[in-house]
């Protein structure tokens, strides 16, 4: 490692005009794209894994590549070595905490059990060598449709940081960094004054127990991801105010829901002082679109007799997407309660559901089978499908990284030490 995560954050908070990119690890293809880009552009990689994406086998593992924390860490290391990346990359837990796996929330498990599962998940994160732990206790199935009490958020946050620090010290593990807060409107931190009040009170409680101050605090900049769009209203003024507050307290402002933002907003991020921005589902969408484009090419080749027959990838993936119901959390209000039958009869909505939830279903056996058939067909004609997919993902991340002044950041931070 050339620089620690804190050194990157300190560099940006102290005036380095860059924004870091938190990358949701949506697939092995994305991991490859990231390491290639990191090597080419001399930039750090921050992989932000939710508990649904990567978690322990005892919880059912993650939907991405069946990763638990150890397999995830091992695959990152292997890909870095394969690509020849010798820069900095960080394993980050995104939205760790109670009820953060969808099943826990749907099952309405009791608070004591939810907190115990959260602690266990953090233990395994730490054992696997994660660098950043997001402490987010705001997903409470017993507080639906209203703002969760900020006192509850504070007390649970301190409790979980205390637990992690005690576990770290007892097991002689490395130092971890923490991210706190949430972009969710029910988290109670959407107001600028509430944001500063939360930082002050949290740091006071942490200091009283000699616990570390968080590295990042999540702020609501106005972003909101629905379907395959950012339907929020990015607020430049509020972003600058949040940045000034976080800078005053020596922490980084983390923005979530950065998916699908246009360049004219991305380009402002370094100047506004947004320390880091998370993106996840948009990468899944771009990858799924790449597979669908390949399926179009394959179908055309079959129709013209260049290959014997085409796979049925699009049909199979579409069916799995709709039946999985993984699209529900990304729906806009007018589509929220639609039945599977209604969706199958609305071509435009069906297309969006396929694009936004395809990545949840890459590991389904029928999808894997059709994907393998498609890849074999295309390769027999001279198409390199894996390379095409990696390049499509890479193009998107490179654009974001360049808007954020990330190329060369690793060397700049090292020189500033």
């Amino acid at each position: 490692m050339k620089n620690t995560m804190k050194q990157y954050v300190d560099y940006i908070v102290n005036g380095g005009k860059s924004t870091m990119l938190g990358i949701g690890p949506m697939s092995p293809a994305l991991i490859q794209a990231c390491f290639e880009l990191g090597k080419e552009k001399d930039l750090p990689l921050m992989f932000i894994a939710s508990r649904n994406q990567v978690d322990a086998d005892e919880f059912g593992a993650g939907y991405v590549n069946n990763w638990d924390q150890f397999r995830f860490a091992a695959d990152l290391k292997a890909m870095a070595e394969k690509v020849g990346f010798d820069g900095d990359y960080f394993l980050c837990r995104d939205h760790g905490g109670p009820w953060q796996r969808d099943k826990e929330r749907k099952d309405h498990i009791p608070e004591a059990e939810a907190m115990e599962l959260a602690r266990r998940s953090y233990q395994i994160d730490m054992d696997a060598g994660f660098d950043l732990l997001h402490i987010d206790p705001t997903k409470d199935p017993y507080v639906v449709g209203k703002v969760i009490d900020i006192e509850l958020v504070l007390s649970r946050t301190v409790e979980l940081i205390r637990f992690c620090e005690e576990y770290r010290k007892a097991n002689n593990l490395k130092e971890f960094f923490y991210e706190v807060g949430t972009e969710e409107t029910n988290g109670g931190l959407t107001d600028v004054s509430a944001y500063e009040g939360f930082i002050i009170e949290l740091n006071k409680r942490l200091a009283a127990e000699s616990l570390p101050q968080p590295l990042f605090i999540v702020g609501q900049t106005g972003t909101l991801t629905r379907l395959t769009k950012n339907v929020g209203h990015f607020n430049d003024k509020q972003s600058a105010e949040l940045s000034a507050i976080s800078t005053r307290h020596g922490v980084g402002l983390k923005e979530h829901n950065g998916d699908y933002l246009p360049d004219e907003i991305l380009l402002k991020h370094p100047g506004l002082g947004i320390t880091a921005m998370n993106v996840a589902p948009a990468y899944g969408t771009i990858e799924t679109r790449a597979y669908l484009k390949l399926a179009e090419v394959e179908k055309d080749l079959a129709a013209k007799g260049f290959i014997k027959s085409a796979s049925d990838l699009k049909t199979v993936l579409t069916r799995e997407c709709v039946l999985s119901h993984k699209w529900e959390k990304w729906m806009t209000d007018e589509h929220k309660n639609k039945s599977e039958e209604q969706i199958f009869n609305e071509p435009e909505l069906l297309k969006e559901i396929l694009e936004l939830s395809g990545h949840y279903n890459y590991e389904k056996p029928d999808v894997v089978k059709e994907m393998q058939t498609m890849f074999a067909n295309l390769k027999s004609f001279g198409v390199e499908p894996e390379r095409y997919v990696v390049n499509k993902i890479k193009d998107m991340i490179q654009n974001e990284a360049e808007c954020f002044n990330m190329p060369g950041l690793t060397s700049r931070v090292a020189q500033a030490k």
Side-chain angles (χ1 to χ4, degrees), residues 94-166:
D94 187 36
H95 293 292
W99 299 291
Q100 289 290 352
R101 276 184 76 90
D102 290 345
K103 187 177 187 307
E104 295 172 2
R105 202 158 58 257
K106 285 178 181 174
D107 290 349
H108 279 65
I109 64 173
E111 179 181 356
E113 183 183 355
M115 288 291 281
E116 179 55 36
L117 294 180
R119 288 190 288 269
R120 178 63 183 145
S121 181
Y122 283 131
Q123 282 181 335
I124 301 168
D125 291 345
M126 291 184 278
D127 289 341
F130 275 48
D131 302 287
L132 179 77
L133 303 177
H134 182 193
I135 309 293
D136 181 6
T138 63
K139 278 275 175 70
D140 191 328
Y142 299 99
V143 184
V144 178
K146 54 187 177 182
V147 175
I148 191 168
D149 180 45
I150 202 72
E151 174 57 37
L152 195 56
V153 176
L154 282 162
S155 62
R156 286 176 179 169
T157 299
V158 173
E159 178 184 345
L160 288 168
I161 291 177
R162 181 193 307 120
F163 169 80
C164 290
E165 284 298 294
E166 288 174 353

Side-chain angles (χ1 to χ4, degrees), residues 270-281:
L272 289 171
I274 297 171
T275 315
M277 181 188 85
N278 284 3
V279 175

